Amino acid sequence: LDPVTGSTRELFPRMDEPVGRLRLSKDGRKMVFYGASREPREMKLVVSELGELDGVVLADEAEMEDGRLARWVRPQLSPDGSKVLFGTQQHEVGGRDFEYQLWVAAADGSGRARRLAAAHWIPYATWHPAGTHVAFNTWEEDEVGPGKLYVVDVETGEQHEIALPPGLEGMEVKDWSSDGGWIGIVNSAGSHELLLVENALGDRMGEG
């Protein structure tokens, strides 16, 4: 869909295998998506040029011995299109041993994916506009429980927690502002609230 003209064009012909969790790059030239088979444990993480099903496979569930691609964290290209952020989860659902992990991989498939974070539950994550950091939230005790917000340095893996008001449950980190000064989160405890976290990086990047 072209938001200016209202015109639309078909990305893919009709097909048997679905495409899920599709995200476009900032420049609209690349896309990252889950290429899903109807068989269990056979989903793939793919990066390709816009409108092309064939591309670079960054992760394949068939090759994962103890996990699968996460259905919560949507894979997303970094602002410059050079990296892909995605999540994995263990096969078994439930219990304290259940773990989600965040990974970053080169969009061209070179090198190995690097783990950024791990927690009992990581439902949402977003890129800093410069591609240097990732913000994500966790629900540690229950599927929807008290939330915590973290920022992790993509290169060093340094991670720190952002102090939040008490009582946030089912929290969702949504987006990072284009100037890097604000992180938007949703609090769904009781009623839904949209909150802004100011200056999440502080002096780490010399911001506000």
Side-chain angles (χ1 to χ4, degrees), residues 23-107:
R23 283 280 186 94
L24 301 180
S25 61
K26 293 290 185 182
D27 61 10
R29 297 180 180 179
K30 292 180 182 178
M31 58 186 186
V32 59
F33 59 91
Y34 285 159
S37 168
R38 297 193 183 280
E39 297 300 320
R41 314 288 189 232
E42 291 188 4
M43 198 157 64
K44 298 178 181 180
L45 174 64
V46 181
V47 175
S48 72
E49 297 299 315
L50 187 66
E52 295 181 3
L53 277 174
D54 294 330
V56 178
V57 177
L58 298 185
D60 187 339
E61 285 188 335
E63 299 176 357
M64 296 180 183
E65 296 182 358
D66 60 352
R68 59 184 176 132
L69 293 166
R71 273 57 173 174
W72 280 83
V73 176
R74 291 178 179 271
Q76 49 192 291
L77 286 150
S78 60
D80 67 359
S82 66
K83 301 180 183 68
V84 174
L85 175 70
F86 67 100
T88 61
Q89 63 189 89
Q90 289 177 338
H91 285 317
E92 299 301 324
V93 176
R96 283 298 303 170
D97 292 333
F98 188 47
E99 184 179 66
Y100 275 71
Q101 300 182 12
L102 282 182
W103 301 82
V104 64

Side-chain angles (χ1 to χ4, degrees), residues 47-193:
V47 175
S48 72
E49 297 299 315
L50 187 66
E52 295 181 3
L53 277 174
D54 294 330
V56 178
V57 177
L58 298 185
D60 187 339
E61 285 188 335
E63 299 176 357
M64 296 180 183
E65 296 182 358
D66 60 352
R68 59 184 176 132
L69 293 166
R71 273 57 173 174
W72 280 83
V73 176
R74 291 178 179 271
Q76 49 192 291
L77 286 150
S78 60
D80 67 359
S82 66
K83 301 180 183 68
V84 174
L85 175 70
F86 67 100
T88 61
Q89 63 189 89
Q90 289 177 338
H91 285 317
E92 299 301 324
V93 176
R96 283 298 303 170
D97 292 333
F98 188 47
E99 184 179 66
Y100 275 71
Q101 300 182 12
L102 282 182
W103 301 82
V104 64
D108 62 5
S110 62
R112 297 178 57 127
R114 291 185 294 109
R115 191 176 77 167
L116 291 182
H120 176 57
W121 207 282
I122 302 178
Y124 299 95
T126 188
W127 283 100
H128 183 276
T132 56
H133 294 74
V134 166
F136 67 94
N137 65 276
T138 64
W139 298 332
E140 287 297 340
E141 298 301 328
D142 304 296
E143 180 175 339
V144 179
K148 293 183 179 181
L149 177 64
Y150 295 90
V151 169
V152 58
D153 187 303
V154 173
E155 293 303 320
T156 68
E158 179 186 1
Q159 178 178 311
H160 69 277
E161 182 179 353
I162 304 297
L164 294 173
L168 298 186
E169 295 191 4
M171 184 186 65
E172 305 170 9
V173 58
K174 291 298 188 181
D175 207 355
W176 211 321
S177 64
S178 59
D179 64 358
W182 301 84
I183 297 175
I185 62 175
V186 170
N187 173 35
S188 58
S191 60
H192 284 74
E193 298 177 301

Side-chain angles (χ1 to χ4, degrees), residues 4 40 87:
V4 177

